[in-house]
Amino acid sequence: MIYKRDQLLKLDDYFSSLSARPGRGVYFYRIFYYNAEIAEFIGRYLDAARRCGVVLQGKIPNPDEKQLSYYTEMMGKSFSQELSFLTEALAKWLPRLNQKQRENVASSLSHTLEKMRNEGKSQDMIRNAYIKFMCWLYYKFERILHLLGTDTLPKILYEGTPGRYELDLFCILADAGCDILCLEYEGDGAYQRLDPKSERSLPYLPEKREAFPKEFSVEKLMKQKQKEQKISVIYNSRKVLVPRTNLWMAEDWNFAQESLKTQEDRGAQEGTFCNLFVRMAGVWDKLTYAQDLFHWKMELETRERSFFVIEDFSAPQNEEIRMVNAKNYTDAEQMIMDLATRLKSTGQEELDQQVRMAFVKQMTGKENAWEGNLNKQKNVAVYLICWFNRYFSKMFRGYHRGKIGTVVYFGCCRNQYEASFFRMLAWMPLDVVLLSPNAEAACCLEDERLWERRYRESLQMDHFPDTPSELNATTVAYHAEQELNGMMYQDTGMYRNRQYQKAEAVVLKTMCEEVGQLWDEELKYRPNFQVVQDKVLIPVLAAKICGVKNRDVDAYWKDVRRLCTADTLVITEPGWFQKGDNFMGETPRMISNGRIDRRKVRECRSYAYGILKDDVQNYILEKTEQLIQQRMIRGTFERGMEYRILAVALDLKKEVVRLIQQFDFTKKNPKVLVAAVNEKRFPAEDCIGLALLFLMGFDVALFVPTGYQVFEQNFSQVFWEEYQAGDYLYDLHVPNLRQEENGFSQIGGFFNRIFKRG
């Protein structure tokens, strides 16, 4: 068995067991971009590789004379590319391999040598490569080879860009059941010359990306971990949760929306918590800034989440410093271990362990410019302890696992003491938000975990708006046009044309009688219509109606016809949506880690949506990505269905694209009506199209007089409600549904007649 290379949905997938992976495959990725998530992941992967794998810092040296001599003594000089020879040789050279592992390694080794032969390599060159591979397997990897293909896969961490033979070896190990990660600090150019189509390993392309810091290395990371491990005896690591700071947020994050999410919605897993660490400089809207902050605070408190604002960030008082009782220390480790005990207890043992861990992380972190200056380190530690002891009861008021509080600093960090304090808080189960309405104010806080958003406009505000009276004071001086717009179009039920560019479809669960009543109603009048920040929550109808009431076919079609409005797509035969075959050769390079690379999509020659406004293009791609990530369509991330989904989305008919472009999220939404009257099943592309339009906010009505499941075979989860209208009838003829009688006065009556009792 050769293990296939799976695609990552998230970096954490590397740590899942083989049996828990959807494709039961291995991961072989290279990372050449850097961000806070990647830094945290590399640290965890390093731990896993040291525990159950191999860490390679730079090139693998060629076998020396002593190693080659031992190989010749044990194996002789005979060589053959035959699979039987390779299998027997591995049994003798690597006796700890079981039969399955031996067969896997031999098969992949044979494939690699055959590829070299096809490239024109001489028999001597192939034999030398074979001996090199055998020596490397024995001297570098023998201790982990017996773990190949087991449920807990061995892991290789390679620092640098692999050479030709190293890449061949890694492919052999991956094929046999081993995870591999390469760290390319200098970028991916050198690797691309070896494997220009990324057929042997995959690149990891994060949304937020930058170059690796010049000082970053596995050696420094190991030293950092050794330092932390030495001091970590002051807290119980088994009781400490791993912070997943900002890692669940998308590129277009909104801090208020994200902070309202529960830990479950953020994707927190066992042993972790998800917290915010963000800074907002300037204001997004002078008119609403104070109101937005006040409503955000009230909403958090309504959800029983603690909310604490720091404004007057004064230095520790003499009494606070005296209570810390710092001593004279001979080294940093001794100092940190002693001072950590001065952090006051929160009254919860697990939280106390988390606080101590955060203190250690901050005092040993690489961003500490005072490293080497013990007196400076002690001063910083004392400040951190004083401030924590001053504020902890308010920061953790009502805390329990799964419900974290929010700490707001309304201002800018003026020195490294203050910056260090908020870095430390970000290691704790707290959302840490820094707000500066003055866009020009300088803040000295820098951290790779910190996400920042800057706005051009500034506002003079001295205090966080805690009361309604403060809101009134901040809006008096605004100019008349802004005020009028706020009065007319905010929280009034009145909306400008195309006021919003973002929307989320929400299934409107109804009695079937209500479907007809709501079919032609504007969205803003439907139940559960909401506008949250800059996104519209669209209540969408999705119904599958099976059977024919009283077996009255004429009345049935007459009533169906009444639903076919000018903005309704009418589908009467399978194969209505285009397959997107023109894009199938391109889509694999457009999707990485479950996300669509929009730049590559727009660069595609066949891409036809470039004439649309940017927000419409983004909306189509956003909903396509959502459909992929929800795995609604069967085969997504298993049989490459994600590529077909994108291909179909990029090849929508002109009439569909025009309806999407015309769609105003606060008015009437477009619709799809399908009449399925026989045994013909609707292919995957039709089901993809229906699901995609539903996510975009289209109403969907499926009329299936036969009651057959002609759509369900393509769905892992359906999005519609199913209703039984009457007896099942077969082989009906679909009449012309686009006749004159398109009035809606009796739409509600249609559904009432279908379900009329008696």
Side-chain angles (χ1 to χ4, degrees):
M1 172 183 176
I2 298 298
Y3 289 87
K4 68 174 185 177
R5 315 280 205 279
D6 274 353
Q7 284 193 346
L8 288 169
L9 294 182
K10 54 184 184 304
L11 288 172
D12 278 355
D13 291 346
Y14 255 112
F15 305 113
S16 60
S17 61
L18 180 63
S19 59
R21 299 180 181 183
R24 294 185 64 84
V26 300
Y27 299 120
F28 184 3
Y29 271 78
R30 55 192 192 275
I31 291 180
F32 43 89
Y33 289 116
Y34 183 83
N35 60 30
E37 178 187 14
I38 289 172
E40 190 268 347
F41 163 73
I42 293 174
R44 294 172 64 201
Y45 192 90
L46 174 61
D47 291 339
R50 294 173 71 185
R51 184 172 60 252
C52 181
V54 175
V55 178
L56 299 168
Q57 296 174 255
K59 299 291 183 182
I60 307 176
N62 288 323
D64 58 29
E65 291 185 8
K66 186 176 180 181
Q67 293 169 346
L68 293 172
S69 176
Y70 178 71
Y71 173 83
T72 303
E73 178 184 342
M74 291 293 296
M75 305 296 292
K77 296 184 178 181
S78 59
F79 168 67
S80 170
Q81 289 183 231
E82 295 296 327
L83 186 61
S84 58
F85 172 84
L86 298 175
T87 304
E88 291 178 8
L90 287 168
K92 183 177 181 181
W93 183 241
L94 299 168
R96 284 212 293 171
L97 292 177
N98 61 37
Q99 182 177 352
K100 180 181 177 182
Q101 293 167 335
R102 189 161 51 247
E103 290 173 352
N104 290 346
V105 174
S107 177
S108 182
L109 182 56
S110 174
H111 174 77
T112 299
L113 298 178
E114 181 64 20
K115 183 178 180 181
M116 295 176 65
R117 187 173 72 85
N118 293 336
E119 292 172 352
K121 298 290 193 295
S122 68
Q123 190 67 9
D124 284 343
M125 294 175 70
I126 295 173
R127 178 179 178 276
N128 290 339
Y130 162 75
I131 294 174
K132 178 181 291 191
F133 294 148
M134 294 290 273
C135 288
W136 278 347
L137 288 171
Y138 182 83
Y139 288 105
K140 287 293 183 182
F141 301 98
E142 195 278 336
R143 66 182 179 83
I144 66 162
L145 295 181
H146 68 286
L147 300 173
L148 291 173
T150 59
D151 203 37
T152 302
L153 297 175
K155 290 176 169 45
I156 294 173
L157 176 61
Y158 181 86
E159 188 177 40
T161 299
R164 162 64 194 269
Y165 293 108
E166 291 170 315
L167 183 57
D168 286 339
L169 178 70
F170 291 158
C171 288
I172 292 169
L173 291 170
D175 288 346
C178 181
D179 285 336
I180 301 173
L181 178 69
C182 297
L183 303 180
E184 300 179 324
Y185 304 147
E186 303 299 324
D188 199 43
Y191 180 90
Q192 286 290 326
R193 289 191 287 274
L194 287 175
D195 181 20
K197 295 183 179 180
S198 291
E199 296 173 328
R200 313 192 78 183
S201 71
L202 296 171
Y204 181 73
L205 303 173
E207 286 187 358
K208 188 176 181 182
R209 56 184 76 169
E210 57 190 60
F212 271 91
K214 291 183 178 180
E215 70 279 3
F216 188 92
S217 70
V218 169
E219 182 178 1
K220 288 185 177 180
L221 187 58
M222 285 194 291
K223 289 181 179 179
Q224 176 70 23
K225 285 184 170 292
Q226 290 170 357
K227 185 189 298 184
E228 289 181 11
Q229 189 173 11
K230 184 177 179 181
I231 304 174
S232 65
V233 295
I234 64 175
Y235 62 86
N236 187 340
S237 59
R238 289 176 297 181
K239 293 185 178 182
V240 168
L241 303 179
V242 177
R244 311 294 287 152
T245 305
N246 296 340
L247 299 187
W248 78 93
M249 297 199 300
E251 191 173 356
D252 59 345
W253 56 276
N254 176 290
F255 86 96
Q257 290 180 10
E258 299 295 342
S259 73
L260 292 174
K261 290 181 179 179
T262 64
Q263 287 293 297
E264 182 179 8
D265 290 339
R266 298 180 185 188
Q269 300 173 343
E270 184 67 25
T272 71
F273 65 85
C274 295
N275 68 324
L276 285 170
F277 187 24
V278 298
R279 175 169 56 203
M280 315 294 291
V283 300
W284 46 87
D285 189 323
K286 287 185 176 182
L287 181 63
T288 66
Y289 181 77
Q291 297 176 22
D292 291 341
L293 294 183
F294 178 73
H295 292 152
W296 168 55
K297 169 183 178 290
M298 295 299 294
E299 184 63 31
L300 282 171
E301 292 179 343
T302 299
R303 302 184 187 201
E304 298 181 346
R305 301 257 293 276
S306 66
F307 190 91
F308 176 58
V309 179
I310 299 175
E311 292 181 340
D312 183 17
F313 206 24
S314 58
Q317 302 298 311
N318 290 336
E319 180 62 20
E320 291 176 311
I321 295 174
R322 187 185 66 79
M323 293 295 293
V324 173
N325 192 26
K327 302 175 182 177
N328 293 323
Y329 304 100
T330 57
D331 60 63
E333 287 79 9
Q334 177 197 26
M335 177 197 67
I336 295 171
M337 293 174 68
D338 180 60
L339 290 180
T341 62
R342 311 296 202 278
L343 292 160
K344 287 186 178 179
S345 172
T346 63
Q348 300 185 51
E349 181 186 359
E350 183 182 89
L351 184 55
D352 288 344
Q353 302 294 337
Q354 199 78 32
V355 169
R356 290 188 177 187
M357 181 276 288
F359 178 73
V360 170
K361 283 282 189 182
Q362 179 54 34
M363 291 306 301
T364 59
K366 66 178 185 298
E367 76 281 350
N368 294 333
W370 57 82
E371 187 172 2
N373 187 329
L374 189 58
N375 189 57
K376 179 75 171 183
Q377 281 183 284
K378 184 172 76 170
N379 291 340
V380 171
V382 170
Y383 269 61
L384 297 183
I385 294 168
C386 288
W387 282 329
F388 177 82
N389 292 345
R390 180 194 297 177
Y391 297 126
F392 81 90
S393 61
K394 295 178 181 178
M395 293 190 297
F396 292 108
R397 184 176 63 252
Y399 168 83
H400 60 82
R401 184 188 285 198
K403 183 172 285 190
I404 66 176
T406 300
V407 174
V408 175
Y409 181 34
F410 200 68
C412 293
C413 295
R414 297 163 294 184
N415 52 57
Q416 287 301 323
Y417 294 100
E418 295 178 3
S420 297
F421 180 67
F422 290 107
R423 289 194 200 100
M424 183 177 77
L425 292 187
W427 289 105
M428 301 180 193
L430 291 167
D431 283 342
V432 181
V433 179
L434 293 90
L435 297 171
S436 172
N438 182 357
E440 303 301 323
C443 182
C444 66
L445 172 60
E446 293 182 3
D447 193 282
E448 61 189 17
R449 297 170 297 157
L450 178 71
W451 285 26
E452 183 176 35
R453 182 152 292 164
R454 289 188 169 274
Y455 299 93
R456 293 181 179 179
E457 292 191 303
S458 295
L459 190 63
Q460 182 61 42
M461 285 181 65
D462 297 326
H463 303 287
F464 186 90
D466 277 327
T467 64
S469 62
E470 290 179 286
L471 299 182
N472 295 334
T474 61
T475 60
V476 170
Y478 295 156
H479 56 82
E481 184 178 357
Q482 286 181 309
E483 190 170 322
L484 180 60
N485 283 339
M487 292 170 58
M488 290 183 63
Y489 300 116
Q490 293 181 14
D491 302 322
T492 64
M494 297 174 61
Y495 303 98
R496 295 190 297 270
N497 288 333
R498 292 179 175 78
Q499 184 172 344
Y500 300 100
Q501 284 77 48
K502 298 179 182 179
E504 195 71 38
V506 180
V507 179
L508 185 56
K509 298 198 174 190
T510 66
M511 298 292 290
C512 192
E513 294 89 338
E514 295 176 292
V515 174
Q517 298 167 9
L518 297 170
W519 184 261
D520 194 40
E521 196 163 61
E522 288 192 9
L523 293 169
K524 63 185 177 183
Y525 299 126
R526 288 183 179 180
N528 300 325
F529 174 85
Q530 292 184 65
V531 176
V532 180
Q533 298 290 337
D534 60 345
K535 180 177 287 188
V536 182
L537 301 185
I538 303 175
V540 175
L541 301 170
K544 178 182 177 184
I545 299 98
C546 299
V548 177
K549 178 67 175 180
N550 296 329
R551 308 178 70 86
D552 189 342
V553 175
D554 290 338
Y556 179 81
W557 290 123
K558 183 177 180 181
D559 290 322
V560 170
R561 185 178 289 117
R562 289 192 176 97
L563 301 181
C564 300
T565 65
D567 59 354
T568 299
L569 301 171
V570 178
I571 301 173
T572 59
E573 283 291 335
W576 192 88
F577 284 89
Q578 297 173 149
K579 294 183 178 181
D581 288 341
N582 290 338
F583 293 93
M584 280 303 292
E586 299 283 347
T587 51
R589 71 182 186 86
M590 298 176 181
I591 299 177
S592 177
N593 308 310
R595 295 192 175 277
I596 296 172
D597 189 323
R598 300 184 185 186
R599 179 182 60 81
K600 290 182 179 178
V601 169
R602 296 191 183 198
E603 290 174 353
C604 176
R605 288 186 179 181
S606 302
Y607 181 68
Y609 301 159
I611 60 175
L612 303 175
K613 292 175 62 177
D614 285 345
D615 60 273
V616 178
Q617 296 182 57
N618 290 335
Y619 189 64
I620 294 173
L621 295 176
E622 174 193 337
K623 296 307 173 185
T624 304
E625 187 175 272
Q626 185 177 342
L627 179 58
I628 291 172
Q629 293 179 345
Q630 288 183 359
R631 305 189 186 208
M632 189 186 299
I633 303 298
R634 187 166 287 142
T636 306
F637 298 121
E638 293 176 3
R639 301 192 300 272
M641 186 57 72
E642 61 272 23
Y643 306 129
R644 177 63 67 183
I645 292 172
L646 179 56
V648 171
L650 295 178
D651 201 23
L652 296 174
K653 292 183 177 180
K654 185 185 297 184
E655 61 205 273
V656 180
V657 176
R658 287 177 175 177
L659 284 176
I660 296 170
Q661 183 188 27
Q662 191 69 19
F663 186 13
D664 188 331
F665 301 141
T666 63
K667 295 182 172 59
K668 290 183 182 181
N669 59 330
K671 295 113 180 16
V672 184
L673 186 148
V674 183
V677 297
N678 50 41
E679 298 86 358
K680 293 180 182 178
R681 294 187 175 190
F682 282 70
E685 51 267 20
D686 281 348
C687 296
I688 291 168
L690 291 173
L692 178 61
L693 295 187
F694 161 73
L695 291 176
M696 288 186 183
F698 282 55
D699 287 337
V700 179
L702 311 174
F703 287 89
V704 188
T706 63
Y708 289 149
Q709 294 192 358
V710 292
F711 307 95
E712 285 81 349
Q713 75 276 6
N714 290 309
F715 287 93
S716 56
Q717 53 182 345
V718 299
F719 58 84
W720 57 78
E721 293 288 316
E722 183 169 320
Y723 305 98
Q724 301 300 321
D727 295 337
Y728 297 145
L729 297 183
Y730 308 97
D731 299 318
L732 297 184
H733 170 71
V734 182
N736 182 3
L737 299 177
R738 289 293 193 186
Q739 291 184 357
E740 292 294 326
E741 47 184 314
N742 280 339
F744 277 80
S745 60
Q746 299 182 41
I747 287 180
F750 164 54
F751 284 88
N752 288 329
R753 284 195 296 277
I754 285 181
F755 288 86
K756 183 178 180 182
R757 294 183 174 86

